[in-house]
Amino acid sequence: MPVTSQLLRALPRNKVLASTLLPCQLQAHVVSITQRPASSRPSHMWQSHQHSRSFQTACVLHSYILTPPQVNSILKANEYSFKVPEFDGKNVSSVMGFESNQLPANAPIEDRRSAATCLQTRGMLLGVFDGHAGCACAQALSERLFYYIAVSLLPHDTLCELEAAVENGRALSPILQWHKHPNDYFSREAQMLYFRSLRTYWQELIDLNSPGEIPDTREALLSAFKRLDSDISLEAQVGDPSAFLHYWVLRVAFSGATACVAHIDGSDLYIANAGDARAVLGVQEEDGSFTAHTLSNDHNAQNEDEVSRIRGEHPPSEKKTVIRQDRLLGLLMPFRAFGDVKFKWSIELQKRVLESGPDQLHENEHTKFIPPSYHTPPYLTAEPEITHHKLRPQDRFLVIGSDGLWETLHRQEVVRIVGEYVTGVHQRQPLKVGGYRVTLGEMQGLLEERKAHLSSAFEDQNVATHLMRHAVGNNEFGTVDHERLSKMLSLPEELARMYRDDITIIVTHLNPHVIGAQSRDVPS
């Protein structure tokens, strides 16, 4: 199949539609971008939508051929790795380290990622945040959510010590050790606002919890997600004397983001997920092969339980309107998300907040509309679905990825690619040619391509980059096609989002020796 046809077939959908871009209008909008003809071309070339779209896309894609060094430069621009330090020659953590990467499709990218070690308690936090209608909400989550989780996990005495330190003007003991990419952005102007909200939260936890009580991890994750979303909503309603901060808190609230967070403490792995990012465990079988164990559910129209949940929360009269065209109220693809107050606030509250907000906010198309059939809000929640897994020695790695990854690769393929990279052993899969009729000459070419692929498999020093290379460049035979990869990476900004989503990947390497020792130490 030609590269152009593959790209057209893989055309993804935007996560959120404004009322000004309803499905039929969106289609016209997409076609108009790809149909933009040069003035020298005769008009008859643009009479057929399908013909013109293929023609123009082929021209665009044919115009940009990147060299391998240029491809590598793009793929490796945002890669990051962290190795857990050893003590006395021993790594006492169940996590050996992690590798992450991001590849933008939106400009600017709307995904965010975070990783941190909890200093007051044990455990490591890793998360992927997939934004929509802008990057503001995902940015806020990347800075704030781990603090809310860490505070939720603190025992009562430690919370009291924190409060006493603030009350008496003493320096606070660090709660988190962040593992940040050098290019990660912090909204410094909002730090005091964020701290005030966090302090109010831990003050309430002090009142609610009893001395000596050990927080439950599941409850801590649940509480942190819900409380941060509530604070995002409240901050937007209250506003701020600073014009910049007033605008910022409204941008955060009116945009949205899904979140998939892992908390790993010893042999306990918890996944808290709200939205359609995904966490998948790579399990090594006795024969050396790898299988995928999915630890999260997508919260969208493909999840029948989610569809039933949403319809059950609203009157029977809304059964046909609450989910239309596989979207919440016909607009939003994920059924759980932070922010997105257009799907949570009453119409009266939305109007009041917008009328008192800065003029810049009115320029955002996502604030200009009321969702259709909007009768019984809230329609959206940030409450996470939480999964607990007891780690075993055969659990070798955890992949957390935004939906841009899972749209392009099946979870089993993701685990196979990472597993082969980690072990250096390639599982010789039968050469699949699907329904294609392949000549002997073409078969020889495919075998040569596979041989070349094996020799260059480890040109990436970062497994997340290696996985991303496959996600963007895989052809129908499961191997990386440099020409396809080059064309996908060289798409202009206005076209890139039409063919793929932002991709964010965190691959966490687990320590089977420590996990095995911990499992033996646990009394039966």
Side-chain angles (χ1 to χ4, degrees):
M1 181 184 294
V3 173
T4 302
S5 301
Q6 295 174 36
L7 295 178
L8 287 173
R9 187 180 63 177
L11 185 67
R13 299 173 294 176
N14 290 330
K15 286 215 177 146
V16 60
L17 294 178
S19 62
T20 53
L21 285 179
L22 294 176
C24 59
Q25 294 168 309
L26 177 65
Q27 183 180 8
H29 175 71
V30 170
V31 172
S32 69
I33 292 177
T34 56
Q35 280 186 342
R36 196 173 296 138
S39 57
S40 59
R41 294 198 181 107
S43 60
H44 70 269
M45 295 181 69
W46 308 98
Q47 291 175 356
S48 164
H49 283 192
Q50 186 62 42
H51 168 72
S52 62
R53 208 170 139 187
S54 302
F55 179 89
Q56 177 70 357
T57 307
C59 289
V60 171
L61 296 182
H62 185 69
S63 302
Y64 299 90
I65 299 294
L66 302 175
T67 64
Q70 289 173 322
V71 166
N72 287 340
S73 177
I74 294 171
L75 286 177
K76 297 180 180 184
N78 297 307
E79 66 181 12
Y80 180 80
S81 62
F82 174 76
K83 183 178 180 182
V84 173
E86 296 188 4
F87 301 95
D88 299 327
K90 293 183 179 180
N91 183 339
V92 296
S93 171
S94 56
V95 175
M96 293 193 293
F98 70 87
E99 296 166 276
S100 69
N101 204 347
Q102 289 187 300
L103 183 67
N106 293 289
I109 186 171
E110 294 181 341
D111 281 6
R112 293 293 187 272
R113 59 185 162 175
S114 289
T117 299
C118 298
L119 296 177
Q120 302 292 329
T121 57
R122 300 186 310 170
M124 179 175 281
L125 289 163
L126 306 110
V128 167
F129 312 104
D130 188 348
H132 47 264
C135 62
C137 190
Q139 177 62 41
L141 297 188
S142 72
E143 298 181 48
R144 305 180 69 180
L145 183 57
F146 285 6
Y147 279 117
Y148 278 67
I149 294 173
V151 164
S152 302
L153 290 167
L154 292 179
H156 186 270
D157 290 348
T158 307
L159 290 173
C160 292
E161 290 171 8
L162 280 178
E163 179 58 24
V166 176
E167 191 69 29
N168 296 305
R170 298 196 309 266
L172 291 176
S173 300
I175 298 174
L176 294 172
Q177 176 192 354
W178 289 95
H179 310 301
K180 289 286 189 181
H181 186 276
N183 294 337
D184 285 352
Y185 169 75
F186 266 88
S187 47
R188 301 187 186 282
E189 298 87 350
Q191 292 307 304
M192 284 306 299
L193 170 67
Y194 291 171
F195 179 77
R196 287 196 300 268
S197 294
L198 181 67
R199 184 186 179 189
T200 301
Y201 178 44
W202 83 49
Q203 288 172 337
E204 293 181 15
L205 288 174
I206 290 173
D207 293 337
L208 289 170
N209 299 335
S210 304
E213 186 177 345
I214 300 174
D216 177 77
T217 304
R218 181 185 298 271
E219 290 301 317
L221 290 166
L222 186 67
S223 175
F225 270 60
K226 293 170 69 174
R227 178 53 181 254
L228 178 53
D229 192 53
S230 175
D231 282 353
I232 287 171
S233 175
L234 183 61
E235 289 160 1
Q237 294 174 51
V238 173
D240 194 277
S242 162
F244 173 82
L245 281 181
H246 192 183
Y247 178 49
W248 174 250
V249 296
L250 288 170
R251 278 188 59 199
V252 171
F254 278 91
S255 60
T258 65
C260 187
V261 171
H263 179 264
I264 307 174
D265 180 5
S267 59
D268 289 307
L269 167 59
Y270 284 88
I271 300 294
N273 183 54
D276 51 11
R278 191 180 296 173
V280 173
L281 197 63
V283 182
Q284 189 167 27
E285 304 296 342
E286 291 184 1
D287 64 358
S289 65
F290 285 85
T291 56
H293 178 48
T294 305
L295 293 172
S296 62
N297 295 309
D298 297 347
H299 300 132
N300 54 28
Q302 279 63 57
N303 183 334
E304 293 183 2
D305 290 339
E306 277 295 284
V307 172
S308 298
R309 177 186 67 81
I310 290 176
R311 286 184 172 152
E313 291 174 351
H314 299 276
S317 59
E318 296 186 59
K319 183 177 181 181
K320 293 183 179 180
T321 59
V322 69
I323 297 173
R324 292 188 299 107
Q325 297 176 323
D326 288 345
R327 295 174 184 261
L328 187 66
L329 297 178
L331 297 172
L332 191 66
M333 290 187 72
F335 289 174
R336 302 193 193 194
F338 285 83
D340 282 320
V341 293
K342 300 292 292 183
F343 299 88
K344 297 172 180 176
W345 289 355
S346 68
I347 293 175
E348 294 74 18
L349 178 58
Q350 292 186 41
K351 289 180 178 178
R352 179 175 64 79
V353 170
L354 285 172
E355 286 171 359
S356 63
D359 292 338
Q360 304 100 297
L361 193 71
H362 303 154
E363 299 169 8
N364 186 325
E365 66 178 11
H366 298 288
T367 66
K368 294 178 181 177
F369 70 96
I370 299 295
S373 305
Y374 197 79
H375 305 300
T376 55
Y379 290 89
L380 189 65
T381 180
E383 180 174 329
E385 186 174 11
I386 298 172
T387 305
H388 174 245
H389 176 80
K390 206 71 174 176
L391 289 171
R392 309 157 298 174
Q394 61 265 39
D395 298 331
R396 296 295 304 275
F397 54 84
L398 174 71
V399 181
I400 309 175
S402 58
D403 67 334
L405 170 66
W406 312 108
E407 285 173 352
T408 57
L409 290 175
H410 188 271
R411 61 183 180 276
Q412 184 57 46
E413 185 72 356
V414 166
V415 164
R416 182 189 66 79
I417 292 167
V418 175
E420 289 180 353
Y421 182 98
V422 169
T423 61
V425 177
H426 289 265
Q427 304 297 322
R428 291 304 183 100
Q429 306 285 336
L431 191 61
K432 297 179 181 178
V433 295
Y436 299 93
R437 302 182 69 176
V438 181
T439 65
L440 284 176
E442 290 169 333
M443 181 65 77
Q444 178 66 25
L446 289 171
L447 292 171
E448 291 292 332
E449 184 179 337
R450 168 178 276 190
K451 183 178 179 181
H453 167 66
L454 292 178
S455 65
S456 63
F458 298 102
E459 62 185 5
D460 296 315
Q461 301 301 309
N462 182 304
V463 66
T465 305
H466 184 66
L467 183 55
M468 192 169 287
R469 188 183 300 273
H470 279 266
V472 179
N474 256 24
N475 59 21
E476 62 267 32
F477 304 110
T479 58
V480 176
D481 181 332
H482 173 73
E483 182 181 0
R484 172 183 171 82
L485 185 61
S486 170
K487 290 175 177 178
M488 287 291 284
L489 294 179
S490 61
L491 287 169
E493 287 181 0
E494 66 270 19
L495 285 177
R497 183 59 185 92
M498 295 166 55
Y499 297 105
R500 59 178 176 83
D501 198 355
D502 297 330
I503 300 175
T504 298
I505 301 168
I506 301 177
V507 179
T508 305
H509 302 281
L510 302 173
N511 193 328
H513 304 293
V514 171
I515 293 170
Q518 290 172 338
S519 61
R520 288 193 297 271
D521 292 341
V522 175
S524 56

